[in-house]
Amino acid sequence: VGISVGLVQGFLPRMLLPKWGAQRSILIGLCCSMLALVCFGLAYESWMMYAVMVIYALGGISNPAIMSIMSSQV
């Protein structure tokens, strides 16, 4: 999980932040995280955890957007 979230945070924000903007990236990232956490709770097979991990990793796009808003406010 850590490696997949790290890859998303390292590569996707460069492409998606200029297109979507920080606010939309935060909203999409938090929605992906919320959906993934619900799916983690509902998973009853081990393969489901691996499938949900992709959605959870996409939630990592919100962290760089949050940091960019915080740094611009400071």
Side-chain angles (χ1 to χ4, degrees), residues 47-73:
W47 64 268
M48 293 176 180
M49 299 296 276
Y50 293 110
V52 174
M53 198 179 335
V54 174
I55 300 169
Y56 187 70
L58 290 175
I61 202 170
S62 64
N63 292 339
I66 290 170
M67 294 301 160
S68 70
I69 288 177
M70 284 181 11
S71 65
S72 68
Q73 294 294 320

Side-chain angles (χ1 to χ4, degrees), residues 16 19 36 38 44 46 66:
L16 296 179
K19 291 180 185 178
V38 168
Y44 56 89
S46 61
I66 290 170

Side-chain angles (χ1 to χ4, degrees), residues 10-27:
F11 296 110
L12 283 183
R14 287 184 218 150
M15 295 180 286
L16 296 179
L17 277 176
K19 291 180 185 178
W20 291 349
Q23 299 287 339
R24 182 178 272 175
S25 296
I26 292 170
L27 181 65

Side-chain angles (χ1 to χ4, degrees), residues 5-45:
V5 171
L7 288 172
V8 167
Q9 286 182 3
F11 296 110
L12 283 183
R14 287 184 218 150
M15 295 180 286
L16 296 179
L17 277 176
K19 291 180 185 178
W20 291 349
Q23 299 287 339
R24 182 178 272 175
S25 296
I26 292 170
L27 181 65
I28 290 172
L30 291 178
C31 286
C32 285
S33 293
M34 180 185 66
L35 176 66
L37 290 173
V38 168
C39 289
F40 278 142
L42 296 175
Y44 56 89
E45 297 279 335

